[in-house]
Amino acid sequence: MSLYLFALLIGVVAGLRAMTAPAAVAWGAHLGLIPLEGTPLAWLGGTIATWTFTALAVLELVGDQLPKTPSRKVPVQFGTRLLSGAFCGAAVCIASDAWIAGAVLGAIGAVVGTLGGADVRGRLAKAFGRDLPAGLLEDVVAVGGAALVVSAL
C-alpha cells in the first residue's frame, strides 16, 4: 500500500517540477533505495542517467524562474509532467510488479501537482507581490518532497 502512496507523491513532485522527479528516482536507484536491478528500468540507476536527469532538473529549476517560461498548464508542459509522473510512479512500483498501478497513480499525482502547484504559486506570488519568492519556495517543496519520498522507500 505504501508504494502506491509513494508513486502518487512522486507524481505530485513531477507536477511541480517535471525533471526533479526523474532525477530523484534516478538517484534513489543509483543509491540502492529503489530496487530496479533486473527490471527494464535498471538503466535509470546508472551514472549517465543519474547525472543527465540531475542536469535537466537543475536547468529546469533555473528556467522556471525566467519571465518568458510558458505556463505549466499549456499542452506540452502539462503532457511532459504527466509522462514524468507516470514514468516515475512506474519506477517506484516496478520491483513489486505493480508498475501499471504506479504509472496511473504517478500520472494522477502529476495532475494534482501541476494544477495545485500553479494555483498555490499564483496565490503566493500575489501575496508576495512578485513571482520569484513563490517560485523559489515551490522549488524547495519539489526538491525536498522528492528527497523525502525517495529516502522513505
Side-chain angles (χ1 to χ4, degrees), residues 49-115:
T50 301
W51 286 106
T52 300
F53 279 118
T54 300
L56 291 171
V58 169
L59 289 172
E60 181 184 30
L61 292 172
V62 171
D64 181 66
Q65 304 308 323
L66 301 175
K68 301 260 182 188
T69 301
S71 167
R72 72 184 81 198
K73 295 187 280 184
V74 300
V76 171
Q77 297 279 353
F78 199 98
T80 300
R81 291 163 194 269
L82 282 174
L83 289 173
S84 177
F87 174 73
C88 292
V92 165
C93 294
I94 197 166
S96 325
D97 290 327
W99 66 271
I100 293 174
V104 169
L105 288 166
I108 290 169
V111 170
V112 171
T114 300
L115 299 178

Side-chain angles (χ1 to χ4, degrees), residues 28-43 45 94-95:
H30 188 74
L31 297 173
L33 301 172
I34 301 174
L36 297 180
E37 305 83 27
T39 73
L41 296 181
W43 60 271
I94 197 166

